[in-house]
Amino acid sequence: MAARAGVSISTVSNALNRPHLVSETLVERVRSAADQLGYVPLQAAQQLRAGRSGLLGMTVINITNPFFAELVAGAEDAASAAGLRVLVGNSSDDIAKERDHLELFERVQVEGALVSPFGDTGPWLDRLRRRGIPVVLVDYSDDAGVLPSVSLDDVAGGRMAAEHLLQLGRRRLAFVGARDEVRQIRERLAGARSAVASHPGATIEPVWDTHTSTQAGRAFGTWLAQRPPDERPDGILAANDHLAIGLLHGLVSEGVRVPEDVAVVGYDDIEFAAVAAVPLTSVRQPAREMGRAAADLLLAHLAGDAADERRDIVYQPELVVRASTVGDAGLS
């Protein structure tokens, strides 16, 4: 570029980065040469030279779940308003991928990290913090009381879902989930069990698989429908709405009536819940608001607001009742 413009390399650098140091004529010559050569400044390198990357890192468990997509969207809302961008890593329910993303955040020197953990990432999060990269947990709280977090009361959510079914007279409940090592799912089951324990004669059966997809839910629904009616649950709590929507399809395709024979409750209240084959009752999480709040905590830390360096925000769930538990006649 210097040869094309007929100037020195240092003049090119000044014209592009410190134009006040050179004449307007030289600035125009350098910019004209850059246009001719198709040169585009490498913003990342410029930011790193200035001591900042302009990036926040964010890991989520499964971006194909609309709940996590909304978490990301909320974080991007807050980051964009602050002039930052979000580098997203999707772990796809894989601890190795999750750790790879955290190592990438360290290498590219993100300014802060938003982490929705799938597995034990404690050592990797400690490494980020030792490098001066602050961390905020999302959809998760820190039992050790070290990291700020934004989460939902999943015990209350599980209790709320089970209590709804029990109040409708259902007594043989099933909790359909995947990977009981995921704390959010474990807490939802714990809440459901606490509700069942307060209703004599009621039972709850955990049913586990390794996936929380719609396809897994459909397979669960087909399997449960093929049980004898007196051995089939009359109320099902699904760990998320993907599973619940699949369950609905599996049950209905086998001739099981929802909710007459089996009532179904999902979790997350994703957009598709309201337009499922049988509109789905679900426990709502304010996903976008949670993502935005987590990013705001991180930005406050970066701004030096010590009051937000160890803050936990816990949202409360909301039950949204639809036809999958009360039928069309039960809706006002």
Side-chain angles (χ1 to χ4, degrees), residues 291-303:
R292 188 181 300 113
D296 282 340
L297 280 182
L298 191 54
L299 293 169
H301 181 100
L302 292 171

Side-chain angles (χ1 to χ4, degrees), residues 11-261:
T11 298
V12 169
S13 177
N14 285 333
L16 293 176
N17 301 305
R18 296 172 293 276
H20 61 283
L21 296 180
V22 297
S23 69
E24 188 174 332
T25 299
L26 286 177
V27 169
E28 288 302 318
R29 282 170 60 184
V30 170
R31 288 178 177 172
S32 176
D35 289 341
Q36 293 170 26
L37 295 171
Y39 170 77
V40 177
L42 184 58
Q43 184 180 15
Q46 293 174 340
Q47 289 173 325
L48 286 173
R49 282 196 298 270
R52 61 190 303 267
S53 67
L55 295 172
L56 301 181
M58 185 171 188
T59 67
V60 293
I61 293 175
N62 191 341
I63 198 69
T64 64
N65 184 332
F67 167 75
F68 290 108
E70 283 292 296
L71 274 184
V72 171
E76 288 179 330
D77 290 342
S80 178
L84 300 173
R85 296 187 178 184
V86 180
L87 175 63
V88 180
N90 175 33
S91 67
S92 300
D93 298 336
D94 186 329
I95 183 62
K97 284 185 178 180
E98 184 171 60
R99 292 169 179 171
D100 285 345
H101 295 318
L102 296 176
E103 290 178 355
L104 174 64
F105 295 166
E106 182 181 2
R107 290 198 303 273
V108 302
Q109 299 177 39
V110 297
E111 298 190 34
L114 301 165
V115 180
S116 180
F118 172 70
D120 179 13
T121 55
W124 283 262
L125 299 184
D126 288 342
R127 275 177 52 176
L128 289 177
R129 295 173 65 234
R130 287 196 300 271
R131 291 289 299 270
I133 298 173
V135 175
V136 173
L137 299 178
V138 192
D139 192 37
Y140 203 87
S141 59
D142 181 16
D143 291 337
V146 175
L147 297 173
S149 65
V150 174
S151 62
L152 186 90
D153 187 342
D154 280 305
V155 174
R159 184 186 304 114
M160 182 182 293
E163 191 63 43
H164 173 63
L165 292 171
L166 293 163
Q167 288 176 355
L168 293 172
R170 310 297 170 137
R171 289 296 179 269
R172 298 190 310 276
L173 306 189
F175 181 93
V176 177
R179 298 186 183 270
D180 63 339
E181 68 269 23
V182 177
R183 188 170 74 181
Q184 295 94 317
I185 293 179
R186 212 165 49 237
E187 289 181 349
R188 292 167 197 177
L189 175 58
R193 280 176 163 154
S194 71
V196 168
S198 65
H199 288 74
T203 60
I204 184 164
E205 172 191 4
V207 181
W208 301 112
D209 196 356
T210 56
H211 300 284
T212 56
S213 64
T214 305
Q215 292 83 353
R218 187 182 180 96
F220 275 134
T222 301
W223 175 66
L224 290 170
Q226 291 172 352
R227 288 184 177 183
D230 60 346
E231 296 179 12
R232 182 190 303 150
D234 58 9
I236 300 175
L237 297 81
N240 67 25
D241 284 347
H242 270 184
L243 277 170
I245 290 170
L247 277 161
L248 291 174
H249 283 281
L251 291 167
V252 172
S253 66
E254 292 293 322
V256 175
R257 298 172 303 162
V258 177
E260 292 84 356
D261 300 325

